């Protein structure tokens, strides 16, 4: 049975009663039932995790599946009820939508009142989260249980920002002493670089630091350094990730090898792109400094033999653990570039912001829990309304890499086609995440968002207060953010277009010709995320907010959000093809006709 199959909305008498009294009562009843199920499952679930079994619930599988099927049916039934109602109609029916469909944590506000849902639909979504054991799985993650089942690993990026008194057990060992020791080590090194205590080969301070990494070893620190530019008072930071030689060449062309420190970020110190760039960077430094070049390199890696062979002293090598996934590693020594930029105190504030979100996520009721609510809005879009993509638009120029960061976080985590049990999922999984900063995006792809044939939900982000911007700009920025959300939701009817054109003196013929082109359908959902200002604490909270949103959605879809086998095949094939591309090998037996043809063209035309 497909557990996502909808019920027939016409069979629900609650739809015929003002306010949906029967429907609301049914939802409350089911939520209470799921809460009872959840509490009874907690002990059994923890026991199963301690035995390293894959089962996530202590209740019989048939009963769990039945509860989950009922929950999905309610969600789809609510979608069938709401789909025909325009967002403008939902607002007309309830002038308290903002109060009912928004949530706050201190200065952080999430307004999802412009989503195509209401309280009854939200009740159904919360019941779904409970039926999917989100609370049980959440506790398992924070407790250090091996929820990354395909690799048998705990998932503990949260431990990297845990409070001073935290104790987190993994395989019977409290990992926090080593976490704190590593944090203190790389923050001390960051301060030494900033102060000039750790200096270049000639004894003078470094003016520039280049981080060489890829994926999580690049996107996290690159995004965060850019976001926190007002807090950066250390050496200039640069980032190289692409194996395309132009990336490294363009980065170093204005730098002085004698004044530049490189950080090579690769856990295994074998990542093809990273090590190719690292070797070229070393050659660039050696051309000027000779054997002293090694002093201009530090590493984030666990492979001490390889870093030693590269010429990096162990004192400048900082590791992290296999229970920290790459896209969740900004909180670890992968964050060294950020610490060099903003200092140890700023980095600790960054961690504190994430830890505050962790506490909220772990303790707040689902109905008031910001990551849970953001995740449920995403489930509603993806699975109830069949909307496969999301535009993430920060109205904050310094978050110009945030969409790319969340893109990796979300799509690499939940872009999965099988469940924990290796079976096809019962619903669509991870959405396509993309975006650019506003207001630039308005002059790029917003035409399609407003009048295209596909409905694309939008997540807007904005700071209430600017940090050292130009006077008068921020008000205009915020006005644009609010205007776009309003225009997407309510649009402009053809009747209003015609009236406006007539008022301006347009002829009937001109009105008939242009009115369809100037009509905006509206009814396009969006969520607005507001925060006071973008500083280290706030950025930490925002990243953790999206991390936990991904966790909740992965739990509901029953996929492993913490492996990434999808990146492996391409890497393996690239390793096989590299000798053929370079001409070191010529045997193309076993290759497909297309690849053979492309290799032939490359060989023929290479200069």
């Amino acid at each position: 049975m497909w557990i996502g199959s909808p019920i027939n909305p016409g069979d629900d008498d609650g739809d015929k009663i003002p306010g949906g009294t029967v429907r609301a009562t049914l939802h409350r009843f089911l939520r209470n039932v799921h809460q009872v199920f959840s509490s009874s499952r907690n002990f059994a679930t923890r026991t199963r995790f301690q035995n390293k079994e894959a089962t996530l619930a202590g209740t019989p599988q048939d009963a769990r599946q039945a509860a989950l099927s009922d929950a999905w049916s309610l969600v789809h039934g609510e979608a069938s009820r709401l789909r025909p109602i325009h967002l403008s109609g939902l607002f007309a029916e309830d002038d308290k939508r903002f109060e009912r469909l928004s949530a706050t944590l201190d200065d952080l506000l999430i307004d999802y009142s412009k989503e195509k849902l209401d309280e009854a639909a939200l009740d159904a979504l919360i019941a779904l989260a409970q039926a999917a054991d989100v609370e049980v799985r959440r506790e398992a993650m924070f407790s250090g249980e091996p929820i990354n089942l395909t690799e048998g690993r705990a998932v503990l990026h949260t431990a990297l920002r845990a409070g001073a008194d935290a104790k987190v057990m993994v395989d019977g060992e409290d990992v926090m002493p080593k976490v704190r020791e590593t944090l203190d080590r790389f923050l001390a090194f960051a301060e030494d670089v900033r102060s000039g205590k750790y200096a270049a080969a000639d004894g003078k301070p470094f003016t520039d630091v280049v981080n060489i990494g890829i994926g999580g070893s690049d996107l996290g620190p690159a995004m965060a350094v850019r976001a926190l530019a007002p807090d950066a008072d250390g050496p200039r930071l640069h980032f190289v990730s692409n194996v395309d030689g132009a990336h490294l060449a363009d980065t170093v062309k204005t730098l002085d090898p004698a004044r530049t420190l490189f950080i090579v970020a690769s856990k295994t110190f074998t990542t093809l792109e990273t090590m190719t760039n690292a070797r070229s960077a070393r050659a660039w430094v050696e051309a000027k400094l000779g054997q002293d070049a090694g002093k201009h390199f530090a590493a984030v890696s666990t492979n001490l033999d390889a870093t030693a062979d590269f010429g990096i002293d162990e004192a400048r090598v900082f590791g992290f653990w296999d229970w920290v996934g790459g896209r969740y590693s900004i909180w670890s020594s992968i964050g060294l570039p950020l610490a060099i930029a903003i200092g140890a105190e700023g980095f600790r504030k960054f961690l504190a912001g994430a830890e505050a979100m962790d506490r909220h996520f772990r303790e707040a009721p689902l109905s008031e829990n910001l990551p849970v609510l953001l995740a449920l809005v995403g489930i509603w879009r993806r699975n109830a309304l069949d909307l496969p993509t999301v535009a993430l638009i920060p109205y904050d120029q310094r978050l110009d890499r945030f969409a790319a960061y969340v893109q990796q976080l979300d799509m690499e985590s939940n872009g999965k086609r099988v469940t924990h049990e290796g079976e096809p999922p019962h619903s669509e999984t991870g959405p396509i995440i993309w975006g650019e900063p506003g207001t630039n995006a308005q002059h790029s792809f917003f035409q399609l968002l407003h009048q295209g044939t596909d409905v694309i939900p939008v997540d807007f982000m904005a700071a209430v207060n600017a940090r050292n911007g130009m006077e008068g700009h921020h008000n205009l920025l915020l006005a644009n953010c609010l205007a776009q959300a309003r225009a997407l939701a309510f649009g402009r009817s053809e009747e209003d277009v015609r009236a406006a054109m007539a008022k301006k003196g347009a002829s009937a013929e001109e009105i008939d010709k242009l009115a369809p082109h100037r009509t905006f359908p509206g009814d396009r959902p969006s969520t607005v995320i507001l925060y006071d200002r973008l500083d280290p604490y706030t950025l930490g909270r925002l990243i953790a907010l999206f991390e936990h949103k991904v966790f909740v959605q992965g739990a509901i879809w029953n996929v492993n959000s913490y492996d990434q086998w999808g990146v492996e095949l391409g890497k393996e094939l690239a390793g096989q093809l590299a000798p053929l591309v370079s001409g070191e090998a010529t045997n193309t037996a076993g290759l497909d006709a297309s690849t053979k043809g492309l290799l032939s063209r490359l060989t023929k035309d290479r200069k």
Side-chain angles (χ1 to χ4, degrees):
M1 176 183 179
W2 177 53
I3 64 174
S5 57
I7 58 175
N8 184 344
D11 293 340
D12 189 348
D13 290 337
D15 286 336
K16 302 172 185 177
I17 299 175
T21 304
V22 173
R23 179 180 293 276
T25 301
L26 177 61
H27 284 310
R28 284 193 291 271
F29 169 74
L30 282 171
R31 285 174 64 181
N32 289 335
V33 170
H34 289 312
Q35 286 171 346
V36 171
F37 277 153
S38 294
S39 62
S40 68
R41 283 194 290 254
N42 278 336
F43 177 77
T45 300
R46 291 193 187 98
T47 301
R48 289 176 183 274
F49 262 111
Q50 288 165 357
N51 293 334
K52 297 185 178 180
E53 293 181 10
T55 303
L56 284 168
T59 50
Q61 184 69 8
D62 288 346
R64 180 173 176 272
Q65 286 299 103
L68 198 54
S69 178
D70 289 345
W72 273 114
S73 293
L74 282 171
V75 168
H76 284 284
E78 292 299 332
S80 296
R81 175 178 62 88
L82 288 166
R83 192 175 283 112
I85 306 174
H86 197 284
L87 274 168
S88 58
L90 293 176
F91 274 87
E93 292 173 4
D94 183 4
D95 61 0
K96 300 292 185 182
R97 273 185 68 84
F98 176 78
E99 288 81 359
R100 301 184 205 281
L101 300 175
S102 64
T104 60
L105 172 62
D106 300 324
D107 64 286
L108 186 59
L109 165 71
I110 297 181
D111 170 25
Y112 52 98
S113 62
K114 293 189 185 73
E115 296 291 338
K116 204 176 178 71
L117 49 72
D118 58 13
E119 283 189 292
L122 185 60
D123 281 346
L125 289 164
I126 291 172
L128 173 64
Q130 290 169 332
D133 289 320
V134 165
E135 293 152 302
V136 177
R137 294 172 188 249
R138 176 183 62 189
E139 189 58 31
M141 177 182 72
F142 278 102
S143 299
E145 303 294 350
I147 66 170
N148 179 350
L149 298 176
T150 62
E151 297 175 300
R153 296 173 179 172
V155 175
L156 279 176
H157 47 280
T158 54
L160 300 174
R161 64 250 191 163
D165 299 326
K167 185 176 182 179
V168 181
M169 306 300 292
V170 176
D171 295 330
E173 177 188 2
D174 181 9
V175 301
M176 292 310 298
K178 291 182 179 178
V179 167
R180 296 186 187 103
E181 178 188 359
T182 301
L183 175 64
D184 290 342
R185 275 192 68 230
F186 82 76
L187 290 184
F189 179 70
E191 287 298 328
D192 286 347
V193 172
R194 286 164 54 82
S195 68
K197 183 177 179 180
Y198 183 77
D202 61 6
K204 295 179 181 179
F206 291 105
T207 60
D208 295 272
V209 177
V210 180
N211 186 79
I212 298 177
I214 197 165
S217 300
D218 168 78
L219 274 170
M223 177 276 294
V225 167
R226 171 63 180 145
L228 299 178
D231 301 278
D233 55 2
R236 293 182 293 268
L237 268 295
H238 314 269
F239 295 87
V240 171
S241 56
N242 200 331
V243 75
D244 184 341
H247 199 181
L248 179 62
D250 290 349
T251 299
V252 302
K253 69 180 179 182
T254 60
L255 305 183
D256 179 357
R259 302 270 70 76
T260 303
L261 172 70
F262 288 88
I263 300 170
V264 183
S266 170
K267 183 185 289 188
T268 62
F269 224 66
T270 59
T271 308
L272 177 64
E273 299 93 336
T274 299
M275 297 316 300
T276 300
N277 281 324
R279 286 188 288 270
S280 295
R282 168 123 192 172
W284 179 75
V285 177
E286 281 183 346
K288 182 166 185 177
L289 303 182
Q291 294 305 307
D292 285 336
K295 297 178 181 179
H296 285 236
F297 285 82
V300 179
S301 177
T302 57
N303 190 343
L304 293 178
D305 290 339
T307 55
D309 289 344
F310 195 84
I312 303 175
D313 189 277
E314 186 174 337
R316 301 193 304 280
V317 180
F318 308 93
F320 57 107
W321 300 268
D322 63 5
W323 39 257
V324 180
R327 56 196 176 279
Y328 297 90
S329 62
I330 180 63
W331 322 102
S332 72
S333 48
I334 288 292
L336 176 59
L338 177 61
I340 292 174
I342 67 174
E345 182 180 356
F347 194 87
R348 290 187 187 276
K349 290 178 180 177
F350 174 66
L351 297 180
E355 197 266 338
M357 183 58 70
D358 292 344
R359 278 186 280 107
H360 170 77
F361 175 56
R362 194 174 188 181
E363 299 170 3
L366 298 187
S367 59
E368 302 170 13
N369 196 303
L370 268 61
V372 171
L373 291 169
L374 195 61
L376 294 179
V377 167
I379 293 290
W380 180 255
R381 294 164 168 176
R382 184 73 175 102
N383 300 125
L385 301 182
D386 299 318
L387 304 176
T389 180
V390 177
L392 178 57
I393 313 295
Y395 276 71
D396 197 321
Q397 180 59 31
R398 293 189 178 112
L399 287 178
D400 59 351
R401 296 292 290 159
F402 195 78
Y405 178 80
V406 173
Q407 186 180 69
Q408 185 205 23
L409 174 68
D410 200 309
M411 294 173 69
E412 192 166 86
S413 294
N414 287 340
K416 305 294 170 61
R417 59 180 294 275
V418 296
T419 65
H420 281 291
E421 295 75 30
E423 300 293 332
H426 294 288
S427 61
E428 303 298 334
T429 61
I432 300 165
I433 308 293
W434 57 283
E436 287 287 335
T439 57
N440 286 8
Q442 295 174 200
H443 297 269
S444 175
F445 49 78
F446 267 50
Q447 169 63 44
L448 185 145
L449 297 186
H450 284 291
Q451 292 184 311
T453 55
D454 290 306
V455 174
I456 299 174
V458 180
D459 286 331
F460 293 97
M461 301 174 66
V464 175
N465 295 292
R467 294 190 68 190
N468 62 14
M470 306 296 288
E471 184 177 354
H473 287 232
H474 200 64
N475 288 339
L476 183 57
L477 180 74
L478 292 177
N480 272 275
C481 178
L482 299 185
Q484 293 298 322
R486 179 173 167 79
L488 286 167
F490 307 117
R492 176 175 289 169
S493 69
E494 185 169 339
E495 181 182 8
D496 288 343
V497 171
R498 287 177 174 276
M501 292 182 70
K503 188 175 181 180
K504 291 184 177 181
S507 66
E509 182 181 5
E510 185 181 8
I511 292 174
D512 288 340
K513 179 180 179 181
L514 295 181
H517 299 276
R518 295 185 177 184
T519 298
F520 288 69
D523 204 30
R524 302 191 172 208
S526 68
T527 288
V528 177
I529 301 172
L530 292 181
Y531 45 91
D532 179 50
R533 66 184 66 239
L534 188 60
D535 57 22
Y537 185 86
T538 296
L539 182 63
R541 279 191 311 177
L542 289 172
I543 296 173
L545 169 69
F546 280 87
E547 286 179 347
H548 295 321
K549 181 210 81 164
V550 166
F551 169 87
V552 172
Q553 291 180 336
I556 291 174
W557 290 321
N558 192 31
V559 299
N560 185 356
S561 300
Y562 301 102
D563 60 10
Q564 55 276 334
W565 300 107
V567 305
E568 296 301 319
L569 178 59
K571 290 163 60 176
E572 178 184 333
L573 294 179
Q576 296 171 8
L577 290 171
L580 293 171
V581 172
S582 66
E584 297 173 25
T586 58
N587 185 3
T588 60
L591 294 182
D592 61 277
S594 172
T595 304
K596 286 181 180 179
L598 293 169
L599 282 169
S600 176
R601 177 63 182 267
L602 289 173
T603 303
K604 176 183 177 182
D605 292 348
R606 293 292 288 273
K607 299 290 192 293

